[in-house]
Amino acid sequence: MVLGPGVGFLPISLGLLAAATFITTYIIAVVKGDTSVWFPYISDTGADSPESCIFGEFLNLSAFLAVATMYVRYKMVKAFVSEGQSRKITILNRVGMVFGVISVTGMTMVANFQETRVISVHLVGAAMVFGFGVLYALLQTSISFAMHPDYNGLYICRWRLAISLVSLISLTTTFIAGAIAREQWNGQAHHDHSTMKWDPKDAGYTAHAVSSVGEWVMAFAFLLYFFTFIRDFQKVSMEIQTHICVTHLDQIPVNGPNETTKLLV
């Protein structure tokens, strides 16, 4: 099967849904004339209605799939490597999960606070999703190398390292070039349009184009990184066990749930 056994459908669904969201909102924004055809930021394509509605709704769904994917990865590493076997991997795994949650929280902020409405919150969310997203990828790559050769091969480690470095370079390029573009834009005396419709004649256009390309590359690099989890997840199954603590729902339970593996730790 394409999806395979286990929970491989999670990173597949995340990648396809997020990519479809970006492409759909880009097409709508360009057709409506809400943004430039060339080199818009991803957020520019989801700033105005109706594309903002699609952007917000499906990016929130993508955030849910992202945190679910990160959680499965966390539990999978924890199942393979106990704290007694490798304290280093255990710590990296926990920190990675925290960074992942922060990144996903930033994604929901980007989805729900459009740049044309509350730009300060939007920018903070963008910094969270991209900054902590890169840190998450680097930590997961470190975990992969630490689990070699006992639990995974070197091939996947190298792929994750390559994607992580592309993300890091894109992040640096996006923010530095974006800052230069903004400074040059502000230095221009008069503008007859907003930064959502950059013109090649605008001051800072080249830096903006570089920044925009960096953002798109970084976004799809993140999705590609999640795709590296697919084969691993196809070999993992998860379940939630239910333990009834009372014989009547008006009673007060005496003992808590009795699960072999705790769900949240």
Side-chain angles (χ1 to χ4, degrees):
M1 293 188 300
V2 176
L3 296 180
V7 289
F9 66 89
L10 279 176
I12 294 175
S13 302
L14 168 60
L16 294 180
L17 180 62
T21 300
F22 298 152
I23 295 171
T24 301
T25 54
Y26 168 79
I27 293 173
I28 296 175
V30 169
V31 170
K32 288 180 72 268
D34 292 335
T35 190
S36 303
V37 177
W38 300 106
F39 310 120
Y41 284 119
I42 295 175
S43 298
D44 293 344
T45 68
D48 293 324
S49 179
E51 56 267 30
S52 62
C53 304
I54 298 172
F55 188 82
E57 175 67 20
F58 289 101
L59 205 59
N60 281 326
L61 291 175
S62 298
F64 170 77
L65 290 172
V67 77
T69 300
M70 293 171 178
Y71 177 70
V72 172
R73 169 67 178 175
Y74 167 78
K75 291 292 287 185
M76 184 184 70
V77 172
K78 187 174 183 294
F80 271 113
V81 184
S82 65
E83 187 170 356
Q85 291 177 297
S86 176
R87 181 166 177 78
K88 173 187 174 182
I89 294 178
T90 299
I91 293 174
L92 288 176
N93 197 30
R94 290 173 179 172
V95 174
M97 186 64 202
V98 172
F99 283 0
V101 170
I102 295 174
S103 178
V104 170
T105 302
M107 186 187 299
T108 62
M109 292 168 64
V110 169
N112 298 313
F113 296 88
Q114 287 80 24
E115 60 177 313
T116 54
R117 301 295 185 268
V118 192
I119 190 169
S120 58
V121 177
H122 184 88
L123 292 178
V124 170
M128 289 169 61
V129 65
F130 288 131
F132 282 94
V134 169
L135 290 175
Y136 175 82
L138 290 171
L139 280 176
Q140 291 303 320
T141 301
S142 298
I143 291 173
S144 298
F145 274 104
M147 292 176 66
H148 170 75
D150 295 331
Y151 304 106
N152 58 240
L154 187 59
Y155 181 77
I156 194 64
C157 297
R158 290 171 175 169
W159 265 108
R160 287 173 182 164
L161 177 60
I163 298 172
S164 299
L165 292 178
V166 169
S167 300
L168 179 60
I169 294 171
S170 299
L171 173 69
T172 305
T173 301
T174 297
F175 279 95
I176 293 178
I180 294 173
R182 175 63 65 174
E183 182 177 356
Q184 293 178 349
W185 169 277
N186 292 334
Q188 188 172 331
H190 174 71
H191 299 283
D192 58 3
H193 54 273
S194 70
T195 54
M196 291 178 61
K197 296 182 179 180
W198 281 80
D199 188 275
K201 298 178 181 179
D202 292 330
Y205 179 80
T206 300
H208 162 73
V210 172
S211 178
S212 174
V213 170
E215 184 190 43
W216 283 91
V217 170
M218 179 168 46
F220 280 93
F222 283 160
L223 300 182
L224 185 60
Y225 193 93
F226 282 116
F227 275 8
T228 67
F229 291 156
I230 293 174
R231 292 191 65 185
D232 295 346
F233 282 21
Q234 288 175 341
K235 300 156 190 172
V236 174
S237 62
M238 296 184 69
E239 63 180 17
I240 299 176
Q241 297 183 6
T242 301
H243 179 77
I244 304 301
C245 304
V246 295
T247 57
H248 191 285
L249 293 178
D250 287 338
Q251 295 176 341
I252 298 176
V254 178
N255 298 317
N258 180 22
E259 298 188 42
T260 303
T261 303
K262 295 181 180 180
L263 183 64
L264 296 177
V265 296

